Amino acid sequence: MPAPPVGPDGDPDTLFGLDALEPPPSSARARSTFRDSGTARRLLPVREIHAEPAAAASARGREIIARFPGARLVEVDSHWRVPGLHGNEGNVERWVRVKGETLVLGERKTFTTRPNGRSADWIAPGPSNGCALACAYCYVPRRKGYANPITVFTNIDRTIAHLGRHIARQGPKREPNQCDPAAWVYDIGENGDCSVDALVCDNTADLVRAFRRWPTAKASFATKFVNPDLLALEPRGRTRIRFSLMPEADARLLDVRTSPVAARIAAAADFLDAGYEVHFNFSPVVLRPGWQEDWAELLRRLDDVLPGRVKRQAAAEVIMLTHNRELHEVNLGWHPRAEQVLWQPDLQQAKRSENGALNVRYRNQVKAGALDVLRDLIGARAPWLRVRYAF
């Protein structure tokens, strides 16, 4: 097994880019220049763009290519099969570098909206697949093999048209549920991070603007990246942003290349004031020595920092860690320290996911006990925070 990659100071965090992602300035609603900021350039120093011909020729594709004039453009037959990228085991040692230096452009071929019922009523066909962030537990790369940069779908107009038809067929929501009391909620970012996508192009902006004209529906996406450009989109309450949170100790180890947890918490009020509904994801909850004390401290910080207007509308999702043996093997090649807490066979059992993948999760009794502890901590430290669901 090769040694884990490190930065010039011997610290893997330097290579991962954690030191470069300083929180953006707050109250930046009117600014639309973050995608050209130093932080954005450090996160996405794009050198190669692999593009399907139709995607490269599209209006959105041309915009993206123009944004990165120094990048080499490579034509590919399919965004799922990029020679030298997908299926190349040697890319494990370049796992993080590939995420920043490579973009893939493709056209979405299938448009299916799936029922969910947990975080959202529906899972929408997303505007992207993959991410420039490198969270060690992310499930998306399991399908791609050794590389998981952002793949942007350039035919966003077809996604929006599909969603418009689907929403019209639903009509008004007749009964409240855990997703929302009045609106049909559509998760638009299942396989990526919409805040990061907005550094590349206007797909996220187009979706936010589309949902504000659909009075019976609401967009929703989770993020670990604070992008102040989103503050200027005027969602008018029709988009729910869910800031993913975990204790700082876990985030420093696992949430690679993301905005600091403190920055995500601090951004909540700005996003609420800009017209978003702001919720939180406690995701994933990782069990390791001292986890209870660190979660108690995170909840105390939320209670101390968040203003009353955020608390009054906030809700949270609690999602326990699900892992995967194949991802475990990949992680050993680039971030073995993460696997010391993610891969715990004594606490975990096999789990067949809805898409047929064989994963591992905490054993039933372990998971149930941990959820009880976390609910009690929320009740004691943040009693204003409604838990929409825990899984």
Side-chain angles (χ1 to χ4, degrees), residues 283-326:
S283 171
V285 179
V286 178
L287 305 185
R288 41 79 179 169
W291 73 270
Q292 301 97 324
E293 292 80 7
D294 285 351
W295 275 98
E297 172 58 25
L298 174 61
L299 292 164
R300 184 200 61 76
R301 180 187 296 182
L302 285 173
D303 190 47
D304 287 347
V305 170
L306 294 178
R309 64 187 185 281
V310 174
K311 294 177 180 179
R312 284 189 291 272
Q313 57 82 65
E317 302 166 9
V318 179
I319 305 172
M320 302 295 293
L321 172 71
T322 296
H323 201 26
N324 174 276
R325 179 175 288 278
E326 292 178 0

Side-chain angles (χ1 to χ4, degrees), residues 234-295:
E234 299 183 12
R236 301 173 190 169
R238 308 315 303 176
T239 294
R240 173 186 295 162
I241 187 167
R242 293 150 29 227
F243 286 107
S244 293
L245 304 177
M246 61 173 59
E248 291 278 7
D250 291 330
R252 286 195 297 271
L253 178 66
L254 306 174
D255 275 2
V256 179
R257 307 187 91 222
T258 64
S259 296
V261 170
R264 303 177 215 172
I265 296 171
D270 283 340
F271 276 80
L272 179 66
D273 293 344
Y276 291 87
E277 184 178 39
V278 178
H279 285 191
F280 300 101
N281 275 13
F282 295 160
S283 171
V285 179
V286 178
L287 305 185
R288 41 79 179 169
W291 73 270
Q292 301 97 324
E293 292 80 7
D294 285 351
W295 275 98

Side-chain angles (χ1 to χ4, degrees), residues 72-153:
R72 182 170 71 101
L73 183 63
V74 182
E75 182 177 310
V76 295
D77 293 332
S78 169
H79 66 269
W80 279 113
R81 296 185 300 276
V82 177
L85 186 66
H86 299 147
N88 178 3
E89 187 171 355
N91 277 327
V92 169
E93 295 182 27
R94 300 180 59 247
W95 185 263
V96 175
R97 185 161 285 121
V98 166
K99 282 177 165 290
E101 296 180 354
T102 305
L103 281 179
V104 181
L105 307 184
E107 288 196 325
R108 176 173 279 283
K109 307 302 191 296
T110 59
F111 297 86
T112 302
T113 294
R114 312 188 325 267
N116 179 251
R118 290 177 180 165
S119 176
D121 295 290
W122 305 95
I123 304 296
S128 69
N129 185 294
C131 189
L133 310 182
C135 302
Y137 46 81
C138 180
Y139 62 87
V140 177
R142 297 172 193 168
R143 295 180 60 193
K144 290 190 172 184
Y146 303 111
N148 184 39
I150 300 174
T151 296
V152 175
F153 297 128

Side-chain angles (χ1 to χ4, degrees), residues 206-225:
D206 290 344
L207 283 164
V208 170
R209 290 168 180 146
F211 271 91
R212 74 187 184 195
R213 67 174 186 260
W214 291 325
T216 62
K218 183 181 293 183
S220 177
F221 65 89
T223 184
K224 302 178 187 72
F225 189 76

Side-chain angles (χ1 to χ4, degrees), residues 3 6 39 47 91 176 187 230 247 256 272 296 387:
V6 296
T39 297
R47 297 185 178 183
N91 277 327
D187 192 320
L230 302 185
V256 179
L272 179 66
V387 177

